Amino acid sequence: MDASTRHAHGPAHAHAQGDTHGHDQSHGHAHPHTRDHGHVHDACCAAPPAAAGPPPDARGVRLRIATMDCAAEEAEIRAALGGVAGIRSLGFHLSARTLVIDADAAALAPALAAIRAAGFDPQPLADSATPDAAANCRRELQRLGVALVCAAGAEALAWLGGDALAWRLAGSALAPLAIALAGLGVYRKGLAALRDRRLNINALMTVAVTGAFVIGQWAEAAMVMALYAIAEAIEARAVDRARNAIGSLMQLAPDHAQVRQADGGWLAVAAAEVAVGTIVRIRPGERIPLDGTLATGSTSVDQASVTGESLPIDKIEGDALFAGTINLTGTVELRVTAPASQSTLARIIHAVEQAQGSRAPTQRFVDRFAAVYTPAVFALALGVAIAGPWLAGWSAHDAIYKALVLLVIACPCALVISTPVAIVSGLAAGARRGILIKGGVYLEQARRLKTIAFDKTGTLTAGRPRLMHWAPLTPDAGPDESAKLARVAAALAAHSQHPVSMAIAAGLPASDAALQDFQALAGRGVEATVDGRRVLLGNHRLIEERGLCSPRIEALLREHEAQGRTTSLLAAADGVLALFAVADTLKPGSAQAVAELGAMGVATVMLSGDNPLTAEAVAREAGVRDVRANLLPEEKQAVIDALRQQHGAVAMAGDGINDAPALAQAEIGIAMGGAGTDAAMEAADVVVMNDDLRRVPELMRLSRATHAILVQNIALALAIKAAFLGLAIFDDATMWMAVFADVGASLIVIANGLRLRGAGRAD
């Protein structure tokens, strides 16, 4: 997908990506990816976090499906609903095991029936709450434990009893009991899959266990089913660790807030019920329950959970505070600016959960491969059963047994699960550091970047001018004269809203001088009478127009402009009195980020609408060699296209508003999010929540680590499968070995994928 297509709909494109983002407009059609394996586990030990679930604005009927926790089950449900008319959209939220069906009223009953026919048990969300997840987990483990004991008993009786009828009868009674306890869910979904001619793991296990039972391997069939069920439960727990890697974020915001009452007292109120505009009290050491602005007091706040910043940030009245961050020092009062469901933390969580549903390129490849792999091995097993006696001289019993072992080995779980675990771990690792990646496709693409273009103002620089230098220009100006000039300049600057004037006023001592006949000169400066003297504070053009410029002034102006500074001059009728130089300062970490990218082989370019002298001065300080200045927004877009043709894949880092055309044109748009800027979070593919450019090389390191893990996982899964397929055909591999091979490979790739939670930081 090229960038022009991907961004064809402007800033809202982020919500259209992926396969499981909120409301997909599937209209009931089958999912395009046929990644089919299955899981027998239910909600055991894996109840969703309280904050999880479909987004607050989700329309339709919300269902909880306990056994739906991966894209395989999603694909099965999509296929089951493909023939149901009247469905407008499906919203899958796999980590919470919930589904939102937006459909006509008449379509709901057929939709529920179709889901049940596929082997699932949909429950209305309000009726499916699990108040005691620990108790459910214990009951599930007890059931599987009894199944394993029965299977082991059947194996022991088969081994000890020999041909004794009584022992055989006892074993034949225990084996079906073990299968019933462990495998009824597998049989339900397996039969549904076979009926629909889908060869997923449930179908394979159903055929394999039934076949083993038919040829008299009752005990082994029971043990295989019990081991499979227990292994799937273990795998589910491991997968939940990856999917819920951001689960700690969901628990950060407190459930209750101390709300000011009409009588001045304080009352604990559920955070979800607190209205915008309410005053909330937060004591030292407490987590902030809601987004808002600091109304009373000052404090330091640990914002690591939202922005990834490692150091506390000082906050004064009027500063923004974010839900889930920690108030460190003073008791403060917060004025709520957003409901709990729309806090910055909630939107980060929702964006990451949506991103988990979008398939990365490697994941799409694995999906396609698995769709061919499983039927191919099924055909191989059938060939072994039929041709084995003829080609290899095996008995019919041995040929069928080897074929059944092949079916168990054929389970593509390890292969299929190798990619989403790594992708989700990478997304979560980025989110915890303030790097919000809106899909696995961008996590994978970042490693391919050859060039990153940076906007100047607000990206490389702080975006807030500061007074860098001022000097009196009157002959022999002593301390008293300098103080008087500063007093006059501060009074003039304080009456202007221009950013340059505001920077001058902020950089000088506050003035008590009274102004008379104040006049704003558009595009030039300001003028007024101060202490009986007519003075002006303006730019070079104003000084030229008043005939006050001189070669000396021109030389001073050129000197400061060469350093990227904007100059203003204080003057009276008899000449220029003082010079003030203002500049937008480089952000801390910008130069380090550029240096790290250079060390990684990534070229950096600065795009700016500013004049060449200022742009080049900032670029020099940041270490960027390629500077493009005097650019309009559409011209930045053209530069991005040219850079792509010259170097290859290119990213654009900007503020997400003025740079929207360039962000859209780049393979990856990286927005400086400012800890919750709505426009930036909507417009870009990646949002740096704390505006620290050092997160950009972190993103690339994380992308490279993710790719390495993906390659390792796919290679491990295929190698283990190939080894045991060979053993099954040419040696004496048993069904036990097949189950252990499948589960062992799955657990290995899961553990390897979880390593990404610590990847990406500089060494």
Side-chain angles (χ1 to χ4, degrees):
M1 174 166 32
D2 61 28
S4 60
T5 302
R6 176 168 56 85
H7 294 279
H9 299 290
H13 78 277
H15 291 302
Q17 69 190 20
D19 299 310
T20 57
H21 282 198
H23 302 293
D24 64 52
Q25 299 303 316
S26 64
H27 301 278
H29 295 296
H31 196 277
H33 304 296
T34 56
R35 181 172 63 181
D36 276 350
H37 65 289
H39 298 285
V40 300
H41 52 79
D42 59 15
C44 171
C45 308
D57 59 348
R59 298 178 302 161
V61 176
R62 299 168 64 189
L63 305 171
R64 175 167 162 78
I65 304 175
T67 54
M68 180 193 73
D69 74 343
C70 76
E73 285 88 7
E74 177 193 335
E76 292 180 28
I77 293 172
R78 286 182 183 272
L81 295 175
V84 179
I87 295 179
R88 288 183 288 272
S89 67
L90 302 173
F92 288 87
H93 191 158
L94 298 178
S95 61
R97 297 179 172 86
T98 56
L99 166 64
V100 180
I101 301 179
D102 183 13
D104 299 335
L108 292 177
L112 293 175
I115 296 173
R116 292 189 180 100
F120 298 92
D121 182 24
Q123 296 292 332
L125 196 60
D127 300 331
S128 62
T130 52
D132 193 350
N136 289 342
C137 182
R138 285 194 298 272
R139 285 193 294 270
E140 176 69 8
L141 292 177
Q142 288 169 1
R143 179 174 64 82
L144 293 178
V146 172
L148 182 61
V149 170
C150 291
E155 281 281 4
L157 290 172
W159 183 64
L160 295 173
D163 294 329
L165 180 60
W167 292 76
R168 289 174 60 83
L169 288 175
S172 64
L174 286 175
L177 180 59
I179 292 173
L181 287 170
L184 284 183
V186 175
Y187 265 100
R188 281 198 302 270
K189 291 198 284 187
L191 291 174
L194 290 171
R195 185 175 61 247
D196 296 336
R197 289 174 294 185
R198 288 182 289 109
L199 295 179
N200 60 18
I201 181 56
N202 295 302
L204 298 183
M205 288 299 297
T206 298
V207 171
V209 172
T210 303
F213 215 83
V214 167
I215 64 174
Q217 300 291 335
W218 301 339
E220 192 157 357
M223 183 60 75
V224 165
M225 186 60 82
L227 288 174
Y228 176 72
I230 292 172
E232 287 291 281
I234 295 172
E235 181 184 313
R237 286 287 290 155
V239 173
D240 280 333
R241 286 187 61 194
R243 282 212 182 88
N244 296 333
I246 63 163
S248 57
L249 285 179
M250 297 178 180
Q251 309 301 325
L252 287 179
D255 294 331
H256 290 78
Q258 292 290 326
V259 174
R260 180 192 286 168
Q261 303 301 295
D263 61 1
W266 300 92
L267 178 67
V269 177
E273 299 175 4
V274 177
V276 173
T278 302
I279 299 296
V280 172
R281 181 178 65 186
I282 306 107
R283 295 187 178 93
E286 293 181 344
R287 288 192 179 274
I288 297 169
L290 297 147
D291 278 10
T293 56
L294 187 54
T296 303
S298 62
T299 187
S300 293
V301 177
D302 179 354
Q303 296 189 156
S305 59
V306 171
T307 67
E309 291 165 305
S310 57
L311 297 177
I313 306 299
D314 291 334
K315 299 285 185 176
I316 60 174
E317 291 183 15
D319 285 348
L321 300 175
F322 306 105
T325 58
I326 304 173
N327 178 30
L328 296 178
T329 54
T331 297
V332 296
E333 294 178 9
L334 166 89
R335 177 171 284 104
V336 177
T337 58
S341 61
Q342 298 299 322
S343 70
T344 299
L345 180 64
R347 287 186 288 120
I348 290 172
I349 292 167
H350 180 52
V352 175
E353 287 169 343
Q354 284 185 319
Q356 291 179 12
S358 67
R359 285 171 171 76
T362 302
Q363 192 170 351
R364 291 197 295 269
F365 163 76
V366 170
D367 290 344
R368 293 193 297 269
F369 180 83
V372 175
Y373 163 82
T374 304
V377 178
F378 194 93
L380 176 62
L382 187 61
V384 168
I386 295 173
W390 177 54
L391 294 177
W394 299 330
S395 66
H397 179 280
D398 288 345
I400 293 173
Y401 183 80
K402 288 180 181 291
L404 296 176
V405 173
L406 278 174
L407 290 183
V408 177
I409 293 175
C411 170
C413 289
L415 178 64
V416 169
I417 211 168
S418 63
T419 50
V421 169
I423 293 296
V424 171
S425 295
L427 292 172
R432 285 199 305 273
R433 298 174 202 167
I435 309 170
L436 184 57
I437 307 167
K438 292 189 176 179
V441 61
Y442 309 118
L443 179 60
E444 272 213 70
Q445 281 182 349
R447 71 182 181 86
R448 301 179 182 275
L449 293 175
K450 303 298 182 184
T451 305
I452 297 181
F454 295 100
D455 175 49
K456 179 179 76 70
T457 305
T459 302
L460 282 168
T461 67
R464 294 181 296 275
R466 289 175 50 198
L467 180 61
M468 306 299 294
H469 172 82
W470 86 273
L473 299 182
T474 55
D476 303 322
D480 292 341
E481 177 68 13
S482 295
K484 183 185 298 184
L485 293 174
R487 176 174 172 270
V488 171
L492 287 167
H495 281 72
S496 171
Q497 295 301 309
H498 192 281
V500 172
S501 294
M502 294 171 67
I504 293 172
L508 295 173
S511 174
D512 59 356
L515 273 64
Q516 296 176 334
D517 300 328
F518 178 84
Q519 183 180 3
L521 308 172
R524 291 165 175 78
V526 294
E527 186 176 11
T529 300
V530 183
D531 297 334
R533 185 183 191 188
R534 194 68 179 171
V535 291
L536 58 86
L537 180 67
N539 57 22
H540 185 193
R541 179 187 298 177
L542 179 60
I543 301 301
E544 287 275 11
E545 290 175 354
R546 297 298 174 91
L548 299 174
C549 206
S550 67
R552 173 178 174 241
I553 299 297
E554 293 279 2
L556 288 172
L557 293 177
R558 283 195 299 270
E559 179 183 333
H560 285 287
E561 287 172 0
Q563 300 177 57
R565 297 172 176 176
T566 299
T567 53
S568 295
L569 298 163
L570 178 68
D574 55 346
V576 177
L577 306 175
L579 179 147
F580 299 86
V582 168
D584 187 5
T585 56
L586 204 66
K587 282 182 184 176
S590 292
Q592 180 183 340
V594 170
E596 288 182 17
L597 289 170
M600 298 168 73
V602 179
T604 53
V605 180
M606 191 181 81
L607 309 183
S608 175
D610 215 333
N611 67 76
L613 283 176
T614 300
E616 287 171 6
V618 172
R620 235 181 354 260
E621 188 178 359
V624 179
R625 296 180 180 178
D626 191 346
V627 183
R628 317 290 174 93
N630 281 335
L631 297 176
L632 297 173
E634 57 271 22
E635 292 173 332
K636 290 184 180 181
Q637 184 179 14
V639 170
I640 292 294
D641 191 49
L643 289 172
R644 180 189 295 108
Q645 295 180 23
Q646 182 180 358
H647 299 292
V650 59
M652 172 68 190
D655 63 8
I657 302 172
N658 297 332
D659 300 308
L663 287 168
Q665 187 68 20
E667 271 77 10
I668 298 179
I670 304 173
M672 299 295 105
T677 304
D678 291 337
M681 292 185 71
E682 292 289 332
D685 307 312
V686 177
V687 180
V688 177
M689 296 302 296
N690 67 349
D691 288 358
D692 188 343
L693 281 185
R694 287 172 291 190
R695 296 294 189 264
V696 176
E698 271 194 32
L699 168 66
M700 295 203 61
R701 285 191 290 269
L702 183 60
S703 177
R704 293 178 180 185
T706 300
H707 179 72
I709 294 293
L710 289 174
V711 171
Q712 293 168 15
N713 279 357
I714 293 171
L716 281 169
L718 291 177
I720 293 172
K721 292 292 181 187
F724 278 89
L725 283 172
L727 286 174
I729 296 175
F730 301 110
D731 205 341
D732 294 327
T734 66
M735 294 183 75
W736 283 37
M737 293 172 62
V739 171
F740 280 121
D742 172 58
V743 175
S746 296
L747 294 179
I748 288 172
V749 299
I750 288 169
N752 198 36
L754 290 174
R755 292 195 299 119
L756 278 170
R757 292 180 298 174
R761 294 195 184 277
D763 295 333

